[in-house]
Structure formats: C-alpha cells, structure tokens
Amino acid sequence: MAKIRTVLGDIDPADAGVMLTHEHIIYANPGADLDHNTIYDVDEVSTTVAASLDDTKQRFGLGTMVDLTANELGRNPETLKKTAQKTGVNIIGTTGFFPERIGIPYHFRKQDIGYIAEFFERDLTVGMAYANRLWDVKAGVIKIATGSSDGYDGQTPIQDSGLRVTPIEERIVRAAGRAQAKLGCPINTHTEPSDYEVTNPGLEQLELLIEEGADPTKVLVGHAFVHPNIDQMIAIIERGAMLQIDHIGIPWRHSSADELDDLIAKHVAELADRGYLDSMTFSYDRFFHWCHTGGGTESNLLNEAVQMSYLWESFVPRLAKYGFGEKELKTVLVDNPARLFAWDVK
Ligand SMILES: [Zn+2]
C-alpha cells in the first residue's frame, strides 16, 4: 500500500491531514554552514519550530509539512529529526538541488545522470549523508530546480538544447526522472517565475522528466502562481502534473503581498471553476530559520516574515470572495497532497 515517507518513518496518507507542500525549517545559502556567524543551535531551533507547528496544528489542523530544503541549502538531518520528534506535525524531508546559479555543489556537477539518480535513491531509501555521517533520516520527495532564481529578475538564457535549463541542471532533472521512474516517489519543482514570459518552464521540466520515464502525475510544479498565466498553468496540468500555490503572503517579484495574493486567489478560483481543483496544493515557502548575516549583498527576503496563520486568516477569506469555499479548501489542503506524496515506499 502506498505510504508517505516522513523523517520519522512511513505514514498512511489518510493520516497526513492538512498539508503544506513547500517550507524550510532552515534556509542557508551554500557555504553558510562554514561561517562562524551563521552557526545555530539545533536544539533551540528545533524547539522553536516545533512549537510553531504545534500551534498551527491546534488552531488550523496542520498535519504534515514538507521541508523542501535542497541538500546544499542547509538541509540538516539532525534538525529535521529533532524538530519532527518535538512536534505532532509530520515532516517530510527532501533530496535534490537548487538551480545552478546558486546551488549544485561542484562535486555533483562532476557526476553523471546515473550516479545522481542513485544518489537520490540512497537519500530516499537508505538515509541522508551529512557532516561525514550516514543518518537514519530518509527523504520523502525529490526537489528539482531550474532557472535564474532570486536576485535576478531577467529570464534564464536559452541553451543549445532550446530549453531554459542549463546542461548541469538538465543532468539533475534527468536523474530525478530516472529515480522517480524506478521508485515511484514524488517530485516537487522550482521554476523561475520570469521565465514564464518567454517559455513554459514547468513544461520544459516535465518533458525532460517524462523522457527519463517519470510519471507526470507524481510531479508538483512550484512557483507558477508567482507570474501566473492561465493557459500555461492549464498546459502543465493537462500534461499530468499538479501546480503548487506558493508565496502566499510573501511578495516575491511583486510590490506587495496584497498584489500577489489577489493575483494568486483569482487564478486558483479560475482553475477550480475550469475543473482543475484536483491539481493544486498549498504552501508558503516560509523560512523558519534563515542562516544569514544581515549584511553584505544578501537580499532582504521576506520568506521569514509571513505568519503561519496567514493562509487561514488572510488568504482563505480572500479566496472565499471568489467563491472558493471550505469544500474546495479541503481538496487542496488534504486530498491532493496526500495523493501526490504517497508512493510504494521501498
Ligand atoms: Zn523554497
């Protein structure tokens, strides 16, 4: 029977409850784990995050949170495990990488597709390697990421392949596709919002994954609501994948949360009206603990400011104005993610 793989073990999808599909307990740019000024206390952070999750569970029924932190962005199995042990909310861990512009450490750039696919498989079925140790913490999802990412508002340059996916990113995406084809696990993706002006990055990712044998119904495309285009969104869903509604309350690439929230709400309601309710999940993309110095050229990201109550207290009333009610909410918060994140775990 299909199960959801959490950092503390496998659970029945019927027990997952309300689910947020893309958050970060820790966010650290590659290299921050080597800086004196970004050392954090694992016990303190895990206690604080667990308390916040329990509060969200008590008030709004949160049952499961996906920590979509890529391997090189501060993913720490000890923090994942300790947080999960201290909270009643299930936590799903991730294996995968950020876009080449920020992530994919040189070691992995030198590996071929087959090796990277096996690396993902080990993270999903054996446990994570971290700080020179093998941990008894397994990933429950693969993350892939393409495009320029934050701090750069232009589009990703077109490559020789005709795609806006760099050759190194393409290797990672293909490896994820191969691992998915073998294991049946879910994939959650990061697309570059500004690329939607010149291509459909969600479809580009899907085509590469499908070429490697991946099942598109196990793919959740992220960040498409940040620069929403209804025809592009429908094309992604018609190809078989789901869309993640993210950046609620986080005005990424927009002048205010109000502006982006309204854009998102309109598109969510329109997709539901047009019969695509079963193809969406919710999340913030929140940073619970950001390992930053507050100086240098670090951009002032807003992912840590949004409150965990925001979805229910601010965004749900906005959705209701567009006719999106409790029944629809349950489908997107409970049923859809449970289906996506369940796989025949090995
Ligand atoms: Zn994220």
Side-chain angles (χ1 to χ4, degrees), residues 250-335:
I250 304 171
W252 189 32
R253 309 285 176 82
H254 290 267
S255 55
S256 71
D258 207 47
E259 178 188 303
L260 179 56
D261 282 356
D262 208 56
L263 202 56
I264 295 174
K266 271 183 199 152
H267 284 81
V268 169
E270 182 168 355
L271 285 170
D273 284 347
R274 290 173 70 166
Y276 300 107
L277 180 67
D278 291 340
S279 301
M280 295 183 271
T281 73
F282 262 120
S283 65
Y284 294 103
D285 201 353
R286 183 172 199 275
F287 301 173
F288 285 86
H289 182 85
W290 181 24
C291 296
H292 68 108
T293 65
T297 58
E298 283 179 332
S299 61
N300 182 24
L301 297 174
L302 296 163
N303 303 55
E304 66 210 310
V306 67
Q307 297 299 304
M308 286 299 278
S309 58
Y310 189 89
L311 169 58
W312 294 273
E313 290 179 340
S314 176
F315 195 72
V316 167
R318 191 186 289 272
L319 273 177
K321 279 191 233 154
Y322 290 103
F324 195 97
E326 284 299 319
K327 190 177 134 287
E328 288 79 13
L329 201 61
K330 183 191 167 282
T331 302
V332 175
L333 278 172
V334 179
D335 304 337

Coordinates of all heavy atoms in Angstrom, one line a residue, residues 250-335:
I250 N 4.0 36.3 0.7 CA 5.4 36.6 0.5 C 5.5 37.3 -0.9 O 5.4 36.6 -1.9 CB 6.2 35.3 0.5 CG1 6.0 34.6 1.9 CG2 7.7 35.6 0.3 CD1 6.7 33.2 1.9
P251 N 5.6 38.6 -0.9 CA 5.6 39.3 -2.2 C 6.8 39.2 -3.1 O 7.4 40.2 -3.5 CB 5.3 40.8 -1.8 CG 5.9 40.9 -0.5 CD 5.8 39.6 0.2
W252 N 7.2 38.0 -3.4 CA 8.3 37.7 -4.3 C 8.0 38.2 -5.7 O 7.0 37.9 -6.3 CB 8.6 36.2 -4.3 CG 9.8 35.7 -5.0 CD1 11.0 36.4 -5.1 CD2 10.0 34.5 -5.7 NE1 12.0 35.7 -5.7 CE2 11.4 34.5 -6.2 CE3 9.2 33.4 -6.0 CZ2 11.9 33.5 -6.9 CZ3 9.8 32.4 -6.7 CH2 11.1 32.4 -7.2
R253 N 8.9 39.1 -6.2 CA 8.8 39.7 -7.5 C 7.5 40.6 -7.6 O 7.1 40.9 -8.7 CB 8.7 38.6 -8.6 CG 9.9 37.6 -8.5 CD 11.2 38.3 -9.0 NE 12.3 37.3 -8.9 CZ 12.6 36.4 -9.8 NH1 11.9 36.2 -10.8 NH2 13.6 35.6 -9.6
H254 N 6.9 41.0 -6.5 CA 5.8 41.9 -6.5 C 6.0 43.0 -5.5 O 6.7 42.8 -4.5 CB 4.5 41.1 -6.2 CG 4.1 40.2 -7.4 ND1 3.2 40.6 -8.4 CD2 4.5 38.9 -7.7 CE1 3.1 39.6 -9.2 NE2 3.9 38.6 -8.8
S255 N 5.3 44.1 -5.7 CA 5.5 45.2 -4.8 C 4.8 45.0 -3.4 O 5.2 45.6 -2.4 CB 5.0 46.5 -5.4 OG 3.7 46.4 -5.8
S256 N 3.7 44.2 -3.3 CA 3.1 43.9 -2.0 C 2.5 42.6 -2.0 O 2.2 42.0 -3.0 CB 2.0 45.0 -1.8 OG 0.9 44.7 -2.7
A257 N 2.3 42.1 -0.8 CA 1.7 40.7 -0.6 C 0.2 40.8 -1.1 O -0.3 39.9 -1.6 CB 1.7 40.3 0.9
D258 N -0.4 42.0 -0.9 CA -1.8 42.2 -1.3 C -1.9 42.0 -2.8 O -2.8 41.3 -3.3 CB -2.1 43.6 -0.9 CG -3.6 43.7 -0.7 OD1 -4.2 42.9 0.0 OD2 -4.2 44.7 -1.3
E259 N -1.0 42.5 -3.5 CA -1.0 42.4 -5.0 C -0.8 41.0 -5.5 O -1.6 40.5 -6.3 CB 0.1 43.3 -5.6 CG 0.3 43.2 -7.1 CD 1.6 44.0 -7.5 OE1 1.7 45.2 -7.2 OE2 2.4 43.3 -8.2
L260 N 0.2 40.3 -4.9 CA 0.4 38.9 -5.3 C -0.7 38.0 -4.8 O -1.2 37.1 -5.6 CB 1.8 38.4 -4.8 CG 2.1 36.9 -5.2 CD1 2.0 36.7 -6.7 CD2 3.5 36.5 -4.6
D261 N -1.2 38.2 -3.6 CA -2.2 37.3 -3.1 C -3.5 37.4 -3.9 O -4.1 36.4 -4.2 CB -2.7 37.8 -1.6 CG -1.7 37.4 -0.6 OD1 -0.7 36.6 -0.9 OD2 -1.9 37.8 0.6
D262 N -3.8 38.6 -4.4 CA -5.0 38.7 -5.2 C -4.9 38.0 -6.5 O -5.8 37.4 -7.0 CB -5.4 40.2 -5.4 CG -6.9 40.3 -5.6 OD1 -7.6 39.9 -4.7 OD2 -7.3 40.8 -6.6
L263 N -3.7 38.2 -7.1 CA -3.4 37.5 -8.4 C -3.5 36.0 -8.2 O -4.1 35.3 -9.0 CB -1.9 37.9 -8.8 CG -1.5 37.8 -10.2 CD1 -2.4 38.6 -11.1 CD2 -0.1 38.3 -10.3
I264 N -2.9 35.5 -7.1 CA -3.0 34.1 -6.9 C -4.4 33.6 -6.7 O -4.8 32.6 -7.3 CB -2.1 33.7 -5.6 CG1 -0.6 34.0 -5.9 CG2 -2.3 32.2 -5.3 CD1 0.3 33.8 -4.7
A265 N -5.1 34.3 -5.8 CA -6.5 33.9 -5.5 C -7.4 33.8 -6.7 O -8.1 32.9 -6.9 CB -7.1 34.9 -4.5
K266 N -7.3 34.8 -7.6 CA -8.0 34.8 -8.9 C -7.7 33.6 -9.7 O -8.6 33.0 -10.3 CB -7.7 36.1 -9.7 CG -8.5 37.3 -9.4 CD -8.1 38.4 -10.3 CE -8.5 39.8 -9.7 NZ -7.7 40.9 -10.1
H267 N -6.5 33.3 -9.8 CA -6.1 32.1 -10.6 C -6.5 30.8 -10.0 O -6.8 29.9 -10.7 CB -4.6 32.2 -11.0 CG -4.2 33.2 -12.0 ND1 -4.1 34.6 -11.7 CD2 -4.1 33.1 -13.3 CE1 -3.9 35.2 -12.8 NE2 -3.9 34.4 -13.8
V268 N -6.4 30.7 -8.7 CA -6.8 29.5 -8.0 C -8.3 29.3 -8.3 O -8.7 28.2 -8.6 CB -6.5 29.6 -6.5 CG1 -7.2 28.4 -5.7 CG2 -5.0 29.6 -6.2
A269 N -9.1 30.3 -8.1 CA -10.5 30.2 -8.3 C -10.9 29.9 -9.7 O -11.7 29.0 -10.0 CB -11.2 31.5 -7.9
E270 N -10.1 30.5 -10.7 CA -10.4 30.2 -12.1 C -10.1 28.8 -12.5 O -10.8 28.1 -13.2 CB -9.7 31.2 -13.0 CG -10.0 30.9 -14.5 CD -9.6 31.9 -15.5 OE1 -9.1 33.0 -15.1 OE2 -9.8 31.7 -16.7
L271 N -8.9 28.3 -12.0 CA -8.6 26.9 -12.2 C -9.6 25.9 -11.6 O -10.0 25.0 -12.3 CB -7.2 26.6 -11.7 CG -6.0 27.2 -12.5 CD1 -4.7 27.0 -11.7 CD2 -5.9 26.5 -13.8
A272 N -10.1 26.2 -10.4 CA -11.1 25.4 -9.8 C -12.4 25.4 -10.7 O -13.0 24.4 -10.9 CB -11.4 25.9 -8.4
D273 N -12.8 26.6 -11.1 CA -14.0 26.7 -11.9 C -13.9 26.0 -13.2 O -14.9 25.5 -13.8 CB -14.3 28.2 -12.3 CG -14.8 29.0 -11.1 OD1 -15.3 28.4 -10.2 OD2 -14.8 30.2 -11.2
R274 N -12.7 25.9 -13.7 CA -12.5 25.2 -15.0 C -12.2 23.7 -14.9 O -11.8 23.1 -15.8 CB -11.4 25.9 -15.8 CG -11.9 27.3 -16.3 CD -10.9 28.2 -16.9 NE -10.5 27.7 -18.2 CZ -9.8 28.4 -19.1 NH1 -9.4 29.7 -18.8 NH2 -9.4 27.9 -20.3
G275 N -12.4 23.2 -13.7 CA -12.3 21.8 -13.5 C -11.0 21.2 -13.0 O -10.7 20.0 -13.0
Y276 N -10.1 22.1 -12.5 CA -8.7 21.7 -12.1 C -8.5 21.7 -10.6 O -7.3 21.8 -10.2 CB -7.7 22.5 -12.9 CG -7.8 22.4 -14.4 CD1 -8.3 23.4 -15.2 CD2 -7.4 21.2 -15.0 CE1 -8.4 23.3 -16.5 CE2 -7.5 21.1 -16.4 CZ -8.0 22.1 -17.2 OH -8.1 22.0 -18.5
L277 N -9.5 21.6 -9.9 CA -9.4 21.7 -8.4 C -8.5 20.6 -7.9 O -7.8 20.8 -6.9 CB -10.8 21.6 -7.8 CG -10.9 21.6 -6.2 CD1 -10.4 23.0 -5.7 CD2 -12.3 21.3 -5.7
D278 N -8.5 19.4 -8.5 CA -7.8 18.3 -8.0 C -6.3 18.3 -8.4 O -5.5 17.4 -8.1 CB -8.3 17.0 -8.7 CG -9.7 16.6 -8.1 OD1 -10.1 17.2 -7.1 OD2 -10.4 15.9 -8.8
S279 N -5.9 19.5 -8.9 CA -4.5 19.5 -9.4 C -3.7 20.7 -8.7 O -2.7 21.2 -9.3 CB -4.4 19.8 -10.9 OG -5.1 18.7 -11.6
M280 N -4.1 21.0 -7.5 CA -3.4 22.1 -6.8 C -3.1 21.7 -5.3 O -3.8 20.9 -4.7 CB -4.2 23.4 -6.8 CG -4.4 23.9 -8.1 SD -5.4 25.5 -8.1 CE -7.1 24.9 -8.2
T281 N -1.9 22.2 -4.8 CA -1.6 22.1 -3.4 C -1.2 23.5 -2.8 O -1.0 24.4 -3.6 CB -0.4 21.1 -3.1 OG1 0.8 21.8 -3.5 CG2 -0.6 19.8 -3.9
F282 N -1.2 23.6 -1.5 CA -0.9 24.9 -0.9 C 0.4 24.9 -0.2 O 0.8 23.9 0.4 CB -1.9 25.2 0.2 CG -3.0 26.1 -0.3 CD1 -4.4 25.7 -0.2 CD2 -2.8 27.4 -0.7 CE1 -5.4 26.6 -0.6 CE2 -3.8 28.3 -1.1 CZ -5.1 27.8 -1.1
S283 N 1.1 26.1 -0.1 CA 2.2 26.3 0.8 C 2.6 27.7 0.8 O 2.0 28.6 0.1 CB 3.4 25.4 0.4 OG 3.9 25.9 -0.8
Y284 N 3.6 28.1 1.7 CA 4.1 29.5 1.7 C 5.4 29.6 1.0 O 5.6 30.5 0.2 CB 4.3 29.9 3.2 CG 3.1 30.0 4.1 CD1 2.8 29.0 5.0 CD2 2.3 31.1 4.0 CE1 1.7 29.2 5.8 CE2 1.1 31.3 4.8 CZ 0.9 30.3 5.7 OH -0.2 30.4 6.5
D285 N 6.3 28.7 1.3 CA 7.8 28.8 1.0 C 8.4 29.6 2.2 O 9.1 30.6 1.9 CB 8.1 29.3 -0.3 CG 9.5 29.0 -0.8 OD1 10.3 28.4 0.0 OD2 9.8 29.3 -2.0
R286 N 8.0 29.3 3.4 CA 8.5 30.1 4.5 C 9.8 29.6 5.0 O 10.1 28.4 5.0 CB 7.4 29.9 5.7 CG 7.8 30.7 6.9 CD 6.6 30.6 7.9 NE 6.7 31.7 8.8 CZ 7.4 31.7 9.9 NH1 8.1 30.6 10.3 NH2 7.5 32.7 10.7
F287 N 10.7 30.5 5.5 CA 11.9 30.2 6.1 C 11.7 30.3 7.7 O 11.5 31.4 8.1 CB 13.1 31.1 5.8 CG 13.4 31.2 4.3 CD1 14.3 32.2 3.9 CD2 12.9 30.3 3.4 CE1 14.7 32.3 2.5 CE2 13.2 30.4 2.0 CZ 14.1 31.4 1.6
F288 N 11.8 29.2 8.4 CA 11.6 29.3 9.9 C 12.9 29.9 10.5 O 12.9 30.7 11.4 CB 11.3 27.9 10.5 CG 9.9 27.5 10.2 CD1 9.5 26.8 9.1 CD2 8.9 27.8 11.2 CE1 8.2 26.5 8.9 CE2 7.6 27.4 11.0 CZ 7.2 26.7 9.8
H289 N 14.0 29.4 10.0 CA 15.3 29.9 10.5 C 16.2 30.2 9.3 O 16.6 29.2 8.6 CB 16.0 29.0 11.4 CG 17.3 29.5 12.0 ND1 17.3 30.4 13.1 CD2 18.6 29.4 11.5 CE1 18.6 30.7 13.3 NE2 19.4 30.1 12.4
W290 N 16.6 31.4 9.0 CA 17.4 31.8 7.9 C 18.8 32.1 8.4 O 19.0 33.0 9.2 CB 16.8 33.0 7.2 CG 17.5 33.5 6.0 CD1 18.4 32.7 5.2 CD2 17.5 34.8 5.4 NE1 18.9 33.5 4.1 CE2 18.4 34.7 4.2 CE3 16.9 36.0 5.7 CZ2 18.6 35.9 3.5 CZ3 17.1 37.1 4.9 CH2 18.0 37.0 3.8
C291 N 19.8 31.3 7.9 CA 21.2 31.4 8.3 C 21.8 32.6 7.5 O 22.6 32.4 6.6 CB 21.9 30.1 8.0 SG 21.4 28.8 9.0
H292 N 21.5 33.8 7.8 CA 22.0 35.0 7.1 C 22.8 35.9 8.1 O 22.7 35.8 9.3 CB 20.9 35.8 6.4 CG 20.0 36.5 7.3 ND1 20.0 37.8 7.5 CD2 19.1 36.0 8.2 CE1 19.1 38.2 8.4 NE2 18.5 37.1 8.8
T293 N 23.6 36.7 7.5 CA 24.5 37.6 8.3 C 23.8 39.0 8.5 O 24.2 39.8 9.3 CB 25.9 37.8 7.7 OG1 25.7 38.5 6.5 CG2 26.5 36.5 7.5
G294 N 22.8 39.3 7.7 CA 22.2 40.6 7.7 C 23.0 41.7 7.0 O 22.6 42.8 7.0
G295 N 24.1 41.3 6.4 CA 25.0 42.3 5.8 C 25.3 41.9 4.4 O 24.6 41.1 3.7
G296 N 26.4 42.4 3.9 CA 26.9 42.1 2.5 C 25.9 42.4 1.5 O 25.2 43.4 1.6
T297 N 25.8 41.5 0.5 CA 24.8 41.8 -0.6 C 23.6 40.9 -0.5 O 22.9 40.7 -1.5 CB 25.5 41.5 -2.0 OG1 26.0 40.2 -2.0 CG2 26.7 42.5 -2.2
E298 N 23.4 40.3 0.7 CA 22.2 39.4 0.8 C 21.0 40.2 0.7 O 20.8 41.3 1.3 CB 22.2 38.7 2.2 CG 23.2 37.6 2.3 CD 23.2 36.9 3.6 OE1 22.9 37.6 4.7 OE2 23.6 35.8 3.7
S299 N 20.1 39.7 -0.2 CA 18.8 40.5 -0.4 C 17.9 40.3 0.8 O 18.0 39.3 1.5 CB 18.1 40.0 -1.7 OG 17.8 38.6 -1.5
N300 N 17.1 41.2 1.0 CA 16.2 41.1 2.2 C 14.9 40.3 1.8 O 13.9 40.8 1.4 CB 15.8 42.6 2.6 CG 14.9 42.5 3.8 OD1 14.9 41.6 4.6 ND2 14.1 43.6 4.0
L301 N 15.1 39.0 1.9 CA 14.0 38.2 1.5 C 12.9 38.2 2.6 O 13.1 38.5 3.8 CB 14.5 36.7 1.4 CG 15.5 36.5 0.3 CD1 16.0 35.1 0.4 CD2 14.9 36.8 -1.1
L302 N 11.7 38.0 2.2 CA 10.5 38.2 3.1 C 10.0 36.8 3.5 O 8.9 36.8 4.2 CB 9.4 39.0 2.4 CG 9.9 40.4 2.1 CD1 9.0 41.0 1.1 CD2 9.9 41.2 3.3
N303 N 10.7 35.7 3.2 CA 10.1 34.4 3.4 C 10.0 34.1 4.9 O 9.4 33.1 5.3 CB 11.0 33.4 2.7 CG 11.1 33.6 1.3 OD1 11.5 34.7 0.8 ND2 10.7 32.6 0.5
E304 N 10.7 34.8 5.8 CA 10.7 34.5 7.2 C 9.6 35.4 7.9 O 9.2 35.0 9.0 CB 12.0 34.8 7.8 CG 12.4 36.3 7.8 CD 13.8 36.6 7.7 OE1 14.6 36.1 8.5 OE2 14.2 37.5 6.9
A305 N 9.1 36.4 7.2 CA 8.2 37.3 7.9 C 6.7 36.8 8.0 O 6.0 37.1 8.9 CB 8.2 38.7 7.2
V306 N 6.3 36.0 7.0 CA 4.9 35.6 6.9 C 4.6 34.7 8.1 O 5.4 33.9 8.6 CB 4.6 34.8 5.6 CG1 5.4 33.5 5.5 CG2 3.1 34.6 5.4
Q307 N 3.4 34.9 8.7 CA 3.0 34.2 9.9 C 2.3 32.9 9.4 O 1.7 32.8 8.4 CB 2.0 35.0 10.7 CG 2.6 36.3 11.3 CD 3.8 36.0 12.2 OE1 3.6 35.3 13.2 NE2 4.9 36.6 11.9
M308 N 2.4 31.8 10.3 CA 1.8 30.5 9.9 C 0.3 30.6 9.8 O -0.3 29.7 9.2 CB 2.3 29.5 10.9 CG 3.7 29.0 10.7 SD 4.0 28.3 9.1 CE 3.4 26.6 9.3
S309 N -0.3 31.6 10.5 CA -1.8 31.7 10.4 C -2.3 32.4 9.2 O -3.5 32.4 8.9 CB -2.2 32.5 11.7 OG -1.6 33.8 11.6
Y310 N -1.4 33.0 8.4 CA -1.7 33.8 7.3 C -2.7 33.2 6.3 O -3.6 33.8 5.8 CB -0.5 34.3 6.6 CG -0.7 35.4 5.6 CD1 -0.7 36.8 5.9 CD2 -0.9 35.1 4.2 CE1 -0.9 37.8 5.0 CE2 -1.2 36.1 3.3 CZ -1.1 37.4 3.7 OH -1.3 38.4 2.7
L311 N -2.4 31.9 5.9 CA -3.2 31.2 5.0 C -4.7 31.2 5.4 O -5.6 31.6 4.6 CB -2.7 29.8 4.8 CG -3.6 28.8 4.0 CD1 -3.9 29.2 2.6 CD2 -2.9 27.4 4.0
W312 N -4.9 30.9 6.7 CA -6.3 30.8 7.1 C -6.9 32.1 7.5 O -8.1 32.3 7.2 CB -6.3 29.8 8.4 CG -5.9 28.4 8.0 CD1 -6.8 27.5 7.5 CD2 -4.6 27.8 8.0 NE1 -6.1 26.3 7.2 CE2 -4.8 26.5 7.5 CE3 -3.3 28.3 8.3 CZ2 -3.7 25.6 7.3 CZ3 -2.3 27.4 8.1 CH2 -2.4 26.1 7.7
E313 N -6.1 33.0 8.0 CA -6.7 34.3 8.5 C -6.8 35.3 7.4 O -7.7 36.2 7.4 CB -5.9 34.8 9.7 CG -6.1 34.0 10.9 CD -5.3 34.5 12.1 OE1 -4.3 35.2 11.9 OE2 -5.7 34.1 13.2
S314 N -5.9 35.3 6.4 CA -5.9 36.3 5.4 C -6.3 35.8 4.0 O -7.0 36.4 3.3 CB -4.5 37.0 5.3 OG -4.5 37.9 4.3
F315 N -5.7 34.6 3.6 CA -5.8 34.2 2.3 C -7.2 33.5 2.0 O -7.8 33.6 1.0 CB -4.7 33.3 1.8 CG -4.6 33.1 0.4 CD1 -4.2 34.1 -0.5 CD2 -4.9 31.9 -0.2 CE1 -4.1 34.0 -1.9 CE2 -4.9 31.7 -1.6 CZ -4.5 32.7 -2.4
V316 N -7.6 32.7 3.0 CA -8.9 31.9 2.8 C -10.0 32.9 2.7 O -10.9 32.7 1.8 CB -9.1 30.9 4.0 CG1 -10.5 30.4 4.0 CG2 -8.1 29.7 3.8
P317 N -10.1 33.9 3.5 CA -11.2 34.9 3.2 C -11.2 35.5 1.8 O -12.2 35.8 1.2 CB -11.0 36.0 4.3 CG -10.2 35.3 5.4 CD -9.4 34.3 4.7
R318 N -10.0 35.8 1.3 CA -9.8 36.3 0.0 C -10.3 35.4 -1.1 O -11.0 35.7 -2.0 CB -8.3 36.7 -0.2 CG -8.0 37.5 -1.5 CD -6.6 37.6 -1.7 NE -5.9 38.5 -0.8 CZ -5.7 39.8 -0.9 NH1 -6.2 40.4 -1.9 NH2 -5.0 40.5 0.0
L319 N -10.0 34.1 -0.9 CA -10.4 33.0 -1.8 C -12.0 32.9 -1.8 O -12.6 32.7 -2.8 CB -9.8 31.7 -1.4 CG -8.5 31.3 -1.9 CD1 -8.1 30.0 -1.3 CD2 -8.5 31.2 -3.4
A320 N -12.5 33.1 -0.6 CA -14.0 32.9 -0.4 C -14.7 34.0 -1.3 O -15.8 33.7 -1.8 CB -14.4 33.1 1.1
K321 N -14.1 35.1 -1.4 CA -14.7 36.2 -2.2 C -14.8 35.8 -3.7 O -15.7 36.3 -4.4 CB -13.9 37.5 -2.2 CG -14.2 38.3 -0.9 CD -13.5 39.7 -1.1 CE -12.6 39.9 0.1 NZ -11.5 40.9 -0.1
Y322 N -14.0 34.8 -4.1 CA -14.0 34.3 -5.5 C -14.8 33.0 -5.6 O -14.7 32.3 -6.5 CB -12.6 34.1 -6.0 CG -11.9 35.4 -6.2 CD1 -10.9 35.8 -5.3 CD2 -12.1 36.2 -7.3 CE1 -10.2 37.0 -5.5 CE2 -11.4 37.4 -7.6 CZ -10.5 37.8 -6.7 OH -9.8 39.0 -6.9
G323 N -15.5 32.7 -4.5 CA -16.4 31.5 -4.5 C -15.7 30.2 -4.1 O -16.2 29.1 -4.4
F324 N -14.5 30.3 -3.6 CA -13.7 29.1 -3.2 C -13.9 28.9 -1.8 O -13.5 29.6 -0.9 CB -12.2 29.4 -3.5 CG -11.3 28.2 -3.6 CD1 -11.0 27.6 -4.8 CD2 -10.8 27.7 -2.4 CE1 -10.1 26.5 -4.8 CE2 -9.9 26.6 -2.4 CZ -9.6 26.0 -3.6
G325 N -14.7 27.8 -1.4 CA -15.1 27.6 0.0 C -14.4 26.5 0.7 O -13.4 26.0 0.2
E326 N -15.0 26.0 1.8 CA -14.5 25.0 2.7 C -14.2 23.7 2.0 O -13.2 23.0 2.2 CB -15.4 24.8 3.9 CG -15.4 25.9 4.9 CD -14.0 26.0 5.6 OE1 -13.3 25.0 5.9 OE2 -13.5 27.2 5.8
K327 N -15.2 23.3 1.1 CA -15.1 22.0 0.5 C -13.8 22.0 -0.5 O -13.0 21.1 -0.5 CB -16.3 21.7 -0.3 CG -16.5 20.3 -0.9 CD -17.8 20.2 -1.6 CE -17.7 19.5 -2.9 NZ -17.1 20.3 -4.0
E328 N -13.7 23.1 -1.2 CA -12.6 23.2 -2.2 C -11.3 23.3 -1.4 O -10.3 22.7 -1.8 CB -12.8 24.5 -3.0 CG -13.9 24.5 -4.0 CD -15.3 24.7 -3.5 OE1 -15.4 25.1 -2.3 OE2 -16.2 24.4 -4.2
L329 N -11.3 24.0 -0.3 CA -10.1 24.1 0.5 C -9.6 22.7 1.0 O -8.4 22.5 1.0 CB -10.4 25.0 1.7 CG -9.3 25.7 2.4 CD1 -8.5 26.6 1.5 CD2 -9.8 26.5 3.6
K330 N -10.5 21.9 1.4 CA -10.1 20.6 1.9 C -9.5 19.8 0.8 O -8.5 19.1 1.0 CB -11.3 19.8 2.5 CG -11.0 18.5 3.1 CD -12.1 17.6 3.4 CE -11.7 16.2 3.7 NZ -11.4 15.4 2.5
T331 N -10.0 19.9 -0.4 CA -9.5 19.1 -1.5 C -8.0 19.5 -1.7 O -7.1 18.7 -1.9 CB -10.3 19.4 -2.8 OG1 -11.6 19.1 -2.6 CG2 -9.7 18.7 -4.0
V332 N -7.7 20.9 -1.7 CA -6.4 21.4 -2.0 C -5.4 21.2 -0.8 O -4.2 20.9 -1.0 CB -6.5 22.8 -2.4 CG1 -5.1 23.4 -2.6 CG2 -7.3 22.9 -3.7
L333 N -6.0 21.3 0.4 CA -5.1 21.2 1.6 C -4.9 19.7 2.1 O -3.8 19.4 2.7 CB -5.7 22.0 2.8 CG -5.4 23.5 2.8 CD1 -6.2 24.1 3.9 CD2 -3.9 23.7 3.0
V334 N -5.8 18.8 1.8 CA -5.8 17.5 2.4 C -5.7 16.4 1.3 O -4.7 15.6 1.2 CB -7.0 17.2 3.3 CG1 -6.9 15.8 3.8 CG2 -7.1 18.2 4.4
D335 N -6.7 16.4 0.4 CA -6.8 15.2 -0.5 C -5.7 15.2 -1.6 O -5.0 14.2 -1.9 CB -8.1 15.3 -1.3 CG -9.3 15.2 -0.3 OD1 -9.1 14.8 0.9 OD2 -10.4 15.7 -0.6

